[in-house]
Amino acid sequence: MIRLDNISKQNGQRLLFIEASAALQKGEKIGLVGPNGAGKTTLFRMITGEEEPDEGLVLTERGVTIGFFSQDVGEMSGRSAVAEVMDGAGDVSTVAAELAALEASLADPDQADFDAVLERFGEVQARFEELGGYALEGKAREVLAGLSFSQEMMDADVAKLSGGWKMRVALARILLMRPDVMLLDEPSNHLDLESLIWLEQFLQGYDGALLMTSHDREFMNRIINKVIEIDGGSLTSFAGDYEFYEQQRALNEKQQQAQFERQQAMLAKEIKFIERFKARASHAAQVQSRVKKLDKIERVEPPKRRQALSFEFLPAPRSGEDVVSLRRVHKRYGSRVIYQGLDVLIRRRERCCVLGANGAGKSTLLKLVTGATEPDEGSVQLGGSVKMAYFAQHAMELLDGEHTVFEALEEAFPRAPQGSLRALAGGFGFSGDDIEKPCRVLSGGEKARLVMARMLYDPPNFLVLDEPTNHLDIATKEMLISALSEYEGTMLFVSHDRHFLAALSNRVLEVTPEGIHDYGGGYTEYVARTGQEAPGLHR
């Protein structure tokens, strides 16, 4: 359906693609992977025609429809979320807009040309039915409901929605369109666990071709049947899911390393012979023969070493056995009751993940525990010797944009040795010149890494984390999971990443309208016991 034929592309001084080729066939669901900045978004833009390759061709079969979802959703206002989603379906949205205007005119008691408007209304209504408009609106609402929209949000002006919810509207447009080819650039960003699982099921049932990027390995693993890796300017295809790709890449690197070492040993042996006998006339022919042989040998390159992020906690001071206690806590926002008579005790070394449907009060629980919000009634009591750190989404906005990465670390730890802070920065992926970047130019993922570095350098014994994996790529998530696995303190966290939940939790608190259900055992045991991966969703 789509073929990339020997494409080359340069972005400024950076070579993104060098004579790279790949193909997307009917029915294939492909995960596009590669380090940050490798050119994944540029590849999408070349397929849609927004950018041209410097050399080579992007070939698309005639008549193939393409839907592209990117993080840059643009402006949205003046229409409801449903109308915005239906707009992606073409003519029917124009007809729907006229129908709505005619309905409003007919409801106006001062309407002068009532008969003419009524006649036009009949014509437009017939055209709307012919285009499947009524069924389409139902489907649009179904998609939005899957992405956790309430009926009220569906009918309200999209201008009132936050950036994250506008992204869901943009995603719903593509899903409703059901094009022949879907290009999805990080569709799992900004989704809660329920929406993520719904989207996963939707894409599993989608019969078109799919090319997507995602920082959620579990999500990708369950959808894709092929991986295209961008690395060093080339495109390499692997048949299978993400897990198979990881295993295959590791095996390929191991084989390439062994081949490289064998060749290096052979070259060393030949060079030693040449050096030893080059001055002897009796061996001149042999030496000349070996020199020619060495000139013709194609050199094996060592495998590219990806920067491995690693961070090890310093030992955290020990807290008392009771870390935080909530007693008879009441919390409401306006007329909406979030908690009524809530009792929760979190003990030392527990790793509690908080689950709950969208709007159930997961973040509110974290805010109550950290003191970011006060209970209306009841008490929240921290235990003895508790040293707490709180990672919230707004923490990234508090970074001083004019400070460099290094200055941001230095500000937090003015007495720390420079070498120690540089090592900390390196552990969180800021190496070389990266530590001189001003905070204002950092990506969401870089900001999240910097905030975590500042939070974890002088380790607390109680970590409260609200969606810590948002914006983080797969490699950084793996580093964080690895570091937190060794952490000896207490954790309370909300996450929509199932790999993160399963790897780190040993207790589940499920927020429901009836109160909190407490499950001993981690997320994996919760799934096994309830038969659901998220509250209200059955497998």
Side-chain angles (χ1 to χ4, degrees), residues 328-342:
R328 306 297 302 152
V329 166
H330 292 253
K331 185 65 189 176
R332 66 196 304 153
Y333 293 112
S335 61
R336 193 160 145 253
V337 176
I338 308 294
Y339 292 113
Q340 199 158 10
L342 173 67

Side-chain angles (χ1 to χ4, degrees), residues 41 49 69 74 155 171 176 188 214 241 336 428 455 489 518 520:
T41 301
F69 168 77
D155 294 316
L171 178 59
L176 181 69
S188 51
S214 175
D241 59 16
R336 193 160 145 253
F428 279 85
M455 192 172 74
D518 196 339

Side-chain angles (χ1 to χ4, degrees), residues 24-91:
L24 175 61
Q25 308 291 357
K26 191 171 183 178
E28 283 187 329
K29 291 179 178 163
I30 300 176
L32 185 63
V33 304
N36 284 341
K40 298 188 286 289
T41 301
T42 302
L43 188 71
F44 282 134
R45 292 170 68 86
M46 286 195 287
I47 292 172
T48 59
E50 289 176 55
E51 286 191 36
E52 295 286 331
D54 298 334
E55 291 174 28
L57 296 169
V58 178
L59 304 164
T60 306
E61 278 181 27
R62 184 172 295 179
V64 166
T65 55
I66 297 175
F68 176 36
F69 168 77
S70 77
Q71 297 293 301
D72 183 16
V73 296
E75 278 303 304
M76 291 183 189
S77 65
R79 283 193 285 208
S80 68
V82 167
E84 192 70 47
V85 170
M86 288 172 67
D87 186 50
D91 288 350

Side-chain angles (χ1 to χ4, degrees), residues 115-142:
D115 291 342
V117 172
L118 187 62
E119 186 181 342
R120 179 62 185 158
F121 179 80
E123 291 168 4
V124 174
Q125 190 177 41
R127 177 67 180 142
F128 190 64
E129 278 181 23
E130 189 185 311
L131 289 169
Y134 289 111
L136 190 73
E137 183 174 335
K139 285 176 187 169
R141 288 183 182 276
E142 197 179 309

Side-chain angles (χ1 to χ4, degrees), residues 399-405 430 433-447 450:
L399 292 168
D400 186 329
E402 296 311 308
H403 277 178
T404 65
V405 169
F430 298 104
D433 295 340
D434 287 344
I435 62 169
E436 298 305 327
K437 275 185 181 177
C439 291
R440 64 185 148 74
V441 305
L442 299 180
S443 67
E446 287 171 324
K447 284 179 180 171
L450 178 54

Side-chain angles (χ1 to χ4, degrees), residues 357-413:
N358 205 43
K362 300 185 293 292
S363 291
T364 301
L365 178 62
L366 269 53
K367 286 175 182 172
L368 285 164
V369 165
T370 57
T373 193
E374 293 291 323
D376 300 332
E377 291 177 42
S379 68
V380 179
Q381 194 80 40
L382 285 181
S385 305
V386 170
K387 181 183 172 188
M388 180 172 61
Y390 176 36
F391 178 90
Q393 293 305 303
H394 73 266
M396 296 187 287
E397 296 159 24
L398 302 178
L399 292 168
D400 186 329
E402 296 311 308
H403 277 178
T404 65
V405 169
F406 189 74
E407 285 167 347
L409 294 176
E410 214 170 24
E411 178 193 37
F413 309 106

